[in-house]
């Protein structure tokens, strides 16, 4: 799907750019016709020798060269009508496509058509294949719209004897092999009987045409078309086409029209897309730095949460990492009571057995049939009796100070949720390093920015805490979406609670180690985000931060811009194909530099080493494409109404185990309710 999309868009843009480029100026070389006698106004170079048709010695032929200026075209038509004169209009394919009626009026007024190519480029400066493409596209438009084909050609930049140089000779020779007779005339001021007066229809064209016709009338000279002056029969110049040829031409014109529409749409979207990405980077850095300054100025005497805390760990087939997770939790430097509830959701790999064999103080294991992560979380929440509850994935390792930092903001009674700082532990591989960069730049920097608006859309499952009253207000963890953390975070804020970000609450999580696992994880995240956005769509009119900023931001940047990201690759591919390699390289370097700068800011704020940032530019060649393909897949599935199942990732247990030394405060668990009387009985559920 990605290949078809990108190649289709790139092909459309390349065709349109090739056939719609602005004509470039070319300085002609020495004329090869100067001083040659017997060369008439029409030359044929299809054979070994130059052949020409001489003009009528009593007639001045008019060759009007289309420049794409509609006003000059119409003014020239008015001049001819006043003088009752006819001319040969050498039209661009683009003009014939866009101004069908004007071209038809030329024929109905007694004029005839010739061609100059499709875009108006100087054909003498083009490669042979591009010249043939220009001429073929123009003939297709004339066959489809005017039902004729035309054998007369004017080279826009070499249509006179003085400008017909070696490059023009080569182009005329190539066109001759395609069946064209090439017009070679003179400037209108120099035209006399027997010449072809070449009049470019630019701003000065109508006035020059008026002067020429007045001079010819005063001298008694006749003015006519090129074919008449050369003694050709009119039917041989504008040749009618059959139904089959016209049908094929209509198909070609349809393809050209679609290509042009796609190109215009891509260019139209590319500018705001680029501006949005730049604005996001600049605004993100500014607000993240402001958040960091506010955190540093935080009053050390501010009220912090000092009560008991319950940690709920939902687990399904987490035998690889459950021990490291639990040991890190019980090793937390928390001077108050800490209770850990492991809810085994029908694991088949012995996860619950491992947790029970550890026999860690304050850790209780509950077993239930497999019902999904939301059900496991709700089971743990139903058993919790503390005001603050920490929710931790079973593949996450806490640092000793993480719990204290994570629950500290609950000293403010307005706070209902706290997002921790999730970091990737398995970052040695290139895939892991890219995810590490994404976590620091994409996720944590965004949370700092959104925290300034009280609009954090997601408290990650790897490191999050909630006030139990806030969870009760929203009815616990819902299973309506696959992004239960986003769903829960938005619901809590819609209920009137604040959600804040605490960067010191560091949690180490194991990122997917293979492309397939990464695909499944991000596919679920994106699909779940779309579900949550649709579920909470009314939040945008409730005048809360998450509705006005957080939800639109998530949809726009995490889904919308990611889905439009192929446009960047399309523009790059088109530029490389159509000769804009230098501009593409410069743009890529500038974009990479901005990403690295953003990375430096994010890594400094997260107190990370800058070494991994060398991989940022290389993300543009694989990782970014993988991410936006996941988004496209998710959006397509959502639009099709596909019911996505939960994707369980393989865990390799690459997280570093936490210290095993337990603080004395964890020795007593007698106050745990409802297990206070018979804790062993409840371990088995």
């Amino acid at each position: 799907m990605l290949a078809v999309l990108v190649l289709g868009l790139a092909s459309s843009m390349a065709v349109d750019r090739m056939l719609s480029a602005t004509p470039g100026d070319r300085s002609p070389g020495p004329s090869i016709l100067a001083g040659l006698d017997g060369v008439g106004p029409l030359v044929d170079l299809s054979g070994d020798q130059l052949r020409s048709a001489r003009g009528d010695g009593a007639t001045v032929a008019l060759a009007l060269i289309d420049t794409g200026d509609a006003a000059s075209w119409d003014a020239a038509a008015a001049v001819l009508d006043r003088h009752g004169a006819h001319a040969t209009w050498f039209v661009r394919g683009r003009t014939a496509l866009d101004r069908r009626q004007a071209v038809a009026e030329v024929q109905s007024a007694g004029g005839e058509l010739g061609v100059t190519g499709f875009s108006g480029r100087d054909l003498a400066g083009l490669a042979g294949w591009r010249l043939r493409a220009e001429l073929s596209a123009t003939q297709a438009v004339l066959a489809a719209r005017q039902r004729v084909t035309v054998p007369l050609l004017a080279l826009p930049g070499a249509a006179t004897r003085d400008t017909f140089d070696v490059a023009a000779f080569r182009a005329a020779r190539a066109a001759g092999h395609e069946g064209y007779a090439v017009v070679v005339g003179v400037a209108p001021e120099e035209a006399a009987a027997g010449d072809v007066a070449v009049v470019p229809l630019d701003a000065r064209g109508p006035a020059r045409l008026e002067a020429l016709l007045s001079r010819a009338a005063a001298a008694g000279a006749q003015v006519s078309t090129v074919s008449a002056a050369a003694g050709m029969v009119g039917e041989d110049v504008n040749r009618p086409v059959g139904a089959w040829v016209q049908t094929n031409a209509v198909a070609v014109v349809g393809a050209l029209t679609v290509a042009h529409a796609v190109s215009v749409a891509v260019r139209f979207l590319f500018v705001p897309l680029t501006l949005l990405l730049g604005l996001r980077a600049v605004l993100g850095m500014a607000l993240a730095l402001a958040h960091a300054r506010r955190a540093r100025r935080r009053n050390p005497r501010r009220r912090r949460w000092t009560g008991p805390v319950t940690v709920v760990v939902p687990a399904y087939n987490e035998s690889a990492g459950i021990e490291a997770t639990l040991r890190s939790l019980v090793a937390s430097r928390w001077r108050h009571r800490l209770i850990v509830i492991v809810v085994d959701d029908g694991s088949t790999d012995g996860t619950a057995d491992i947790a029970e064999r550890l026999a860690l103080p304050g850790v209780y294991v509950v077993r239930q049939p497999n019902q999904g992560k939301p059900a496991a979380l709700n089971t743990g929440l139903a058993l919790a009796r503390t005001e603050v509850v920490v929710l931790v994935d079973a593949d996450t390792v806490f640092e000793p100070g993480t719990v204290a930092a994570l629950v500290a903001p609950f000293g403010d009674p307005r706070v209902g949720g706290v997002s921790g700082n999730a970091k990737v532990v398995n970052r040695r591989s290139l895939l892991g390093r890219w995810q590490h960069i994404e976590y620091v730049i994409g996720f944590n920097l965004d949370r700092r920015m959104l925290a300034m608006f009280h609009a954090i859309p997601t408290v990650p499952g790897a490191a999050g805490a909630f006030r139990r009253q806030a969870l009760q207000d929203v009815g616990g963890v819902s299973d309506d979406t696959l992004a239960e953390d986003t769903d829960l975070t938005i619901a809590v804020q819609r209920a009137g609670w604040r959600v804040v970000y605490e960067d010191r609450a560091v949690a180490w999580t194991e990122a997917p180690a293979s492309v397939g696992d990464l695909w499944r994880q991000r596919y679920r995240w994106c699909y779940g985000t779309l579900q949550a956005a649709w579920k909470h769509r009314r939040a945008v009119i409730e005048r809360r931060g998450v509705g006005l900023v957080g939800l639109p931001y998530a949809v726009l940047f995490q889904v919308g811009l990611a889905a439009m990201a192929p446009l960047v690759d399309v523009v790059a591919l088109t530029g490389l194909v159509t000769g804009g390699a230098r501009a593409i390289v410069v743009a890529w370097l500038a974009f990479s530099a901005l990403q690295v700068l953003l990375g430096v800011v994010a890594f400094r704020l997260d107190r990370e080493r800058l070494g991994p940032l060398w991989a940022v530019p290389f993300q543009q060649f694989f990782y970014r494409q993988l991410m936006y393909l996941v988004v496209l897949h998710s959006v397509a599935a959502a639009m099709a109404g596909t019911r996505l199942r939960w994707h369980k990732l393989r865990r390799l247990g690459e997280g570093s185990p936490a210290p095993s030394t337990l603080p004395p405060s964890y020795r007593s668990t007698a106050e745990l309710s409802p297990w206070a009387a018979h804790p062993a009985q409840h371990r088995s559920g």
Side-chain angles (χ1 to χ4, degrees):
M1 182 179 69
L2 177 64
V4 171
L5 175 66
V6 171
L7 291 178
L9 291 176
S11 299
S12 295
M13 286 198 65
V15 169
D16 184 70
R17 182 168 176 176
M18 180 179 66
L19 296 178
S20 304
T22 301
D25 293 332
R26 183 183 72 90
S27 298
S31 173
I32 64 173
L33 298 182
L36 292 181
D37 294 328
V39 178
L42 285 177
V43 297
D44 177 8
L45 293 171
S46 59
D48 296 333
Q49 295 181 342
L50 183 149
R51 295 182 297 171
S52 68
R54 295 190 58 82
D56 183 348
T59 303
V60 177
L62 291 181
L64 306 184
I65 310 299
D66 177 20
T67 64
D69 186 342
S72 296
W73 175 293
D74 294 338
V79 170
L80 290 176
D81 184 59
R82 284 198 304 271
H83 287 269
H86 304 300
T88 302
W89 298 68
F90 288 86
V91 301
R92 297 179 177 186
R94 176 57 64 188
T95 299
L97 188 62
D98 297 338
R99 306 194 69 209
R100 178 178 184 176
Q101 186 59 36
V103 176
E105 289 174 357
V106 165
Q107 290 181 288
S108 63
E112 66 184 13
L113 301 179
V115 297
T116 66
F118 193 91
S119 65
R121 279 177 175 266
D122 185 357
L123 301 184
L126 298 182
W129 67 271
R130 293 195 63 177
L131 180 146
R132 289 189 293 272
E134 291 250 353
L135 296 178
S136 296
T138 305
Q139 294 291 355
V141 174
L142 290 175
R145 297 294 173 84
Q146 309 302 328
R147 300 183 180 180
V148 296
T149 59
V150 177
L152 298 181
L153 170 66
L155 303 176
T160 66
R161 293 173 61 91
D162 293 337
T163 58
F164 198 88
D165 57 5
V166 173
F169 177 85
R170 292 172 180 160
R173 189 179 184 88
H177 290 302
E178 299 295 321
Y180 289 92
V182 179
V183 171
V184 180
V186 297
E189 294 78 10
E190 303 172 4
D195 292 327
V196 172
V198 176
V199 184
L201 295 181
D202 53 19
R204 296 175 54 230
R208 297 172 75 186
L209 178 61
E210 178 74 43
L212 171 63
L213 292 176
S214 298
R215 190 171 68 251
Q222 295 182 351
V223 177
S224 186
T225 62
V226 171
S227 65
M232 302 174 65
V233 181
E235 288 79 10
D236 291 337
V237 176
N238 290 171
R239 303 165 182 169
V241 298
W244 177 246
V245 173
Q246 186 183 10
T247 300
N248 288 336
V250 168
V252 173
V253 170
L256 294 176
T257 303
V258 170
H260 182 64
V262 169
S263 181
V264 170
V266 169
R267 288 195 297 266
F268 177 78
L269 293 173
F270 181 74
V271 173
L273 174 63
T274 304
L275 292 177
L276 275 176
L277 290 174
L279 179 63
R280 179 194 187 190
V282 173
L283 188 63
M285 284 190 288
L287 291 176
L289 291 171
H291 180 270
R293 286 194 298 270
R294 188 174 68 177
R296 286 194 297 269
R297 292 197 303 266
R298 189 177 295 150
N299 185 355
R301 297 183 178 179
R302 73 185 178 105
R303 186 177 179 184
R304 298 170 179 268
W305 178 259
T306 56
V309 173
T310 299
V311 180
V312 177
V313 184
Y316 174 71
N317 288 348
E318 298 287 358
S319 60
I322 189 66
E323 179 176 354
T325 297
L326 296 181
R327 289 191 181 279
S328 73
L329 291 173
V330 299
S332 298
R333 290 195 297 265
W334 181 245
R335 293 176 297 176
H336 308 279
R337 184 157 50 94
L338 184 70
I339 303 161
V340 180
I341 301 175
V342 180
V343 182
D344 183 80
D345 190 49
S347 297
T348 59
D349 65 346
T351 298
D353 297 333
I354 295 173
E356 288 180 342
R357 283 199 301 268
L358 292 174
L360 296 174
V363 177
Y364 293 81
V365 180
V366 178
R367 301 174 187 256
Q368 69 177 28
N370 181 255
Q371 301 175 46
K373 185 178 180 180
L377 288 170
N378 285 328
T379 297
L381 294 174
L383 298 173
R385 293 296 180 268
T386 59
E387 179 60 21
V388 172
V389 181
V390 176
L391 308 181
V392 182
D393 288 341
D395 62 336
T396 301
V397 173
F398 272 22
E399 292 186 352
T402 297
V403 170
L406 190 60
V407 302
F410 289 106
D412 183 346
R414 298 171 298 177
V415 174
V418 180
S419 169
N421 186 347
K423 294 178 178 287
V424 174
V425 65
N426 53 325
R427 56 178 72 169
R428 293 182 179 179
S429 67
L430 184 59
L431 188 63
R433 186 173 291 110
W434 279 336
Q435 292 178 82
H436 165 48
I437 293 171
E438 183 183 25
Y439 269 63
V440 176
I441 299 178
F443 299 158
N444 293 336
L445 199 67
D446 277 358
R447 289 192 182 99
R448 293 178 189 274
M449 177 182 66
L450 294 171
M452 298 294 290
F453 298 102
H454 302 291
I456 296 175
T458 305
V459 171
F466 291 91
R467 196 181 297 273
R468 192 156 61 96
Q469 183 59 51
L471 297 176
Q472 292 176 352
D473 289 348
V474 300
V477 183
S478 171
D479 62 355
D480 292 339
T481 75
L482 291 178
E484 80 291 330
D485 46 4
T486 299
D487 186 2
L488 178 62
T489 304
I490 297 174
V492 165
Q493 291 174 88
R494 292 185 69 189
W497 296 91
R498 284 187 178 180
V499 173
V500 300
Y501 174 63
E502 182 53 67
D503 66 320
R504 296 172 302 170
V506 177
W508 297 91
T509 185
E510 182 181 341
S514 69
V515 172
D517 285 341
L518 177 62
W519 178 284
R520 285 186 286 272
Q521 182 197 63
R522 299 309 171 86
Y523 185 28
R524 176 173 58 83
W525 285 4
C526 183
Y527 192 96
T529 298
L530 291 172
Q531 289 179 310
W534 179 253
K535 175 181 177 179
H536 296 284
R537 59 191 180 276
R538 291 187 58 82
V540 298
I541 62 175
E542 293 175 352
R543 301 183 63 81
R544 300 189 185 279
V546 70
L548 291 177
V549 179
L551 195 57
Y553 182 88
V555 173
L556 176 61
F557 287 100
Q558 296 179 15
V559 179
L561 282 184
M564 290 193 294
L567 297 183
V568 176
D569 291 345
V570 167
V571 173
L573 288 173
T574 304
L576 293 175
V577 170
T578 56
R582 177 177 298 180
I584 295 302
V585 171
V586 171
W588 179 80
L589 290 175
F591 181 76
S592 297
L594 180 61
Q595 289 293 103
V596 171
L597 176 61
L598 194 64
V600 169
V601 172
F603 272 56
R604 286 300 186 191
L605 291 178
D606 252 24
R607 297 172 290 277
E608 289 279 356
R609 293 185 303 104
L610 301 182
L613 290 178
W614 66 264
V616 167
F618 300 99
Q619 282 183 308
Q620 314 307 319
F621 298 108
F622 174 74
Y623 191 78
R624 190 174 62 85
Q625 284 79 6
L626 179 65
M627 291 299 101
Y628 69 57
L629 182 54
V630 169
V631 171
L632 291 173
H633 192 186
S634 302
V635 171
M639 294 179 65
T642 304
R643 181 64 179 175
L644 184 65
R645 63 183 179 86
W646 184 273
H647 295 301
K648 171 63 183 173
L649 302 182
R650 295 180 297 111
R651 300 299 183 188
L652 304 180
E654 297 186 22
S656 301
S660 58
T661 304
L662 303 179
S665 59
Y666 295 106
R667 301 301 182 186
S668 174
T669 59
E671 297 178 350
L672 179 64
S673 175
W675 298 282
H678 306 287
Q681 174 184 351
H682 293 276
R683 285 198 187 104
S684 62

